[in-house]
Amino acid sequence: MKQQTISVITFLLTLSGFLFSCHNKVGRGVGDLTFDSVQTDHTAYLFNDTTKPGCQIATRFVYVSRSSDNAIKDSLNAFFTAIAFGERYIGEDPKEVSEKYVQEYIEDYRNNLEPMYLEDQKNKEDEESIGGWYAYSKNIRTSVRFYEGDLLTYCVFYDEYTGGAHGIYMTTFLNMDLTLMRPIRLDDLFVGSYQKPLTDLIWNQLMADRQVKTREELEDLGYGSTGDIEPTENFYLDKQGITFYYNVYEITPYSTGPVSVSIAYDAMEHLLGSHPILKQLR
């Protein structure tokens, strides 16, 4: 899960360089953005037969509908499309990309699972015993979490089930510097050798949140059992501070659920740089 988050951030940074070089006329500033959304909700069945297992897919895609600078609008919608649906959909009309994604999801579902289902039918007499493994679902919901000045924070929530004991879900945050038209990374906000002291702050905040006094007690609760507790690029900014967001399995077992750690700017004063976004928020 952590590797997937890192891959998303790396891709978006590459995309930012491409968009900036291709749209060098992008104006500076917020662009006076207005947002709209498209929602879809579809159910489809194997062999187009309602007596067979099926898949259900729902989406809510928020996009920029208007801006004082069309280059800003187009660039942001490219970012939003990439993080919600994947890079192959960049360039699609924001009002139509959700439906295209849904139809291709349904087509892939049928193409991949119908041969397997037929094979299972040959080997098992009880159709109900195999039906549950083919009942897929997917939910993608996007939202603008924060938009003020030169900062826009976009949020994508995924929830997917593909058979088995349980589904998987994750939330990804994208903090956009609208002046430079690029995602904000930790290295943009912090200076010096910040990793270790910031890691200590995260541990200390987790201990306070869970009302324990030592790291050992926190570990006994399962923290750090599935991955190292350290600063993650999956974070969001607001007026209060920085919230680091760890999806299921990143630092705790699935049963714990996602973990968020919020640290106030004052607590990180000695680690923060002079990024204009920080001056705007504080």
Side-chain angles (χ1 to χ4, degrees):
M1 186 70 70
K2 181 176 292 187
Q3 185 60 46
Q4 185 173 355
T5 300
I6 293 173
S7 298
V8 169
I9 296 298
T10 301
F11 165 71
L12 291 175
L13 286 169
T14 302
L15 177 63
S16 68
F18 173 77
L19 291 175
F20 189 78
S21 63
C22 290
H23 298 296
N24 50 25
K25 63 180 181 179
V26 170
R28 301 174 67 85
V30 301
D32 298 324
L33 306 176
T34 301
F35 303 93
D36 202 348
S37 65
V38 175
Q39 299 189 61
T40 65
D41 192 347
H42 291 270
T43 300
Y45 299 91
L46 294 177
F47 310 102
N48 205 27
D49 181 348
T50 57
T51 67
K52 303 296 184 186
C55 67
Q56 188 273 334
I57 178 168
T59 68
R60 180 179 184 271
F61 180 56
V62 175
Y63 63 94
V64 181
S65 57
R66 287 191 302 171
S67 171
S68 59
D69 188 324
N70 283 333
I72 290 180
K73 179 183 74 171
D74 293 343
S75 294
L76 283 175
N77 283 335
F79 277 107
F80 296 170
T81 298
I83 197 173
F85 302 117
E87 59 185 288
R88 61 178 288 196
Y89 293 95
I90 294 175
E92 297 288 343
D93 187 325
K95 296 185 290 294
E96 299 174 0
V97 65
S98 299
E99 190 65 32
K100 182 171 183 179
Y101 178 88
V102 166
Q103 293 305 318
E104 292 187 0
Y105 173 87
I106 292 172
E107 182 180 352
D108 288 344
Y109 168 76
R110 285 174 168 157
N111 289 341
N112 292 333
L113 296 190
E114 284 179 352
M116 296 170 57
Y117 186 84
L118 290 175
E119 194 64 28
D120 269 351
Q121 279 188 314
K122 295 178 184 177
N123 301 326
K124 294 185 179 180
E125 296 180 2
D126 181 8
E127 191 162 324
E128 290 186 4
S129 66
I130 62 173
W133 294 94
Y134 293 88
Y136 281 25
S137 65
K138 189 167 192 176
N139 185 15
I140 300 175
R141 298 199 308 268
T142 69
S143 61
V144 174
R145 191 185 185 283
F146 187 90
Y147 170 45
E148 186 175 310
D150 295 329
L151 173 65
L152 185 152
T153 301
Y154 195 73
C155 174
V156 182
F157 172 77
Y158 297 88
D159 184 5
E160 186 169 18
Y161 177 75
T162 56
H166 57 71
I168 193 69
Y169 58 97
M170 64 180 292
T171 301
T172 302
F173 295 95
L174 171 66
N175 303 279
M176 287 296 299
D177 180 338
L178 298 178
T179 299
L180 299 177
M181 197 52 60
R182 70 187 299 273
I184 299 171
R185 296 196 65 188
L186 295 179
D187 285 348
D188 299 321
L189 304 174
F190 295 92
V191 294
S193 301
Y194 68 86
Q195 285 283 344
K196 186 181 184 306
L198 184 56
T199 296
D200 291 339
L201 285 175
I202 292 173
W203 272 95
N204 291 339
Q205 188 61 53
L206 271 173
M207 287 188 287
D209 291 345
R210 301 303 180 266
Q211 298 181 332
V212 298
K213 295 182 179 180
T214 66
R215 291 193 179 190
E216 288 74 16
E217 289 179 277
L218 197 61
E219 290 170 344
D220 288 342
L221 295 175
Y223 289 84
S225 61
T226 60
D228 294 334
I229 298 177
E230 58 189 14
T232 173
E233 293 289 349
N234 195 32
F235 65 90
Y236 60 84
L237 302 165
D238 56 27
K239 292 286 191 179
Q240 287 69 49
I242 301 177
T243 296
F244 298 94
Y245 194 93
Y246 303 90
N247 285 294
V248 292
Y249 288 131
E250 285 192 338
I251 62 172
T252 54
Y254 183 90
S255 58
T256 304
V259 176
S260 59
V261 185
S262 298
I263 302 180
Y265 292 118
D266 289 347
M268 301 178 291
E269 184 77 37
H270 57 301
L271 302 176
L272 293 171
S274 57
H275 195 289
I277 293 295
L278 293 173
K279 294 180 179 180
Q280 170 190 307
L281 292 171
R282 302 167 70 187

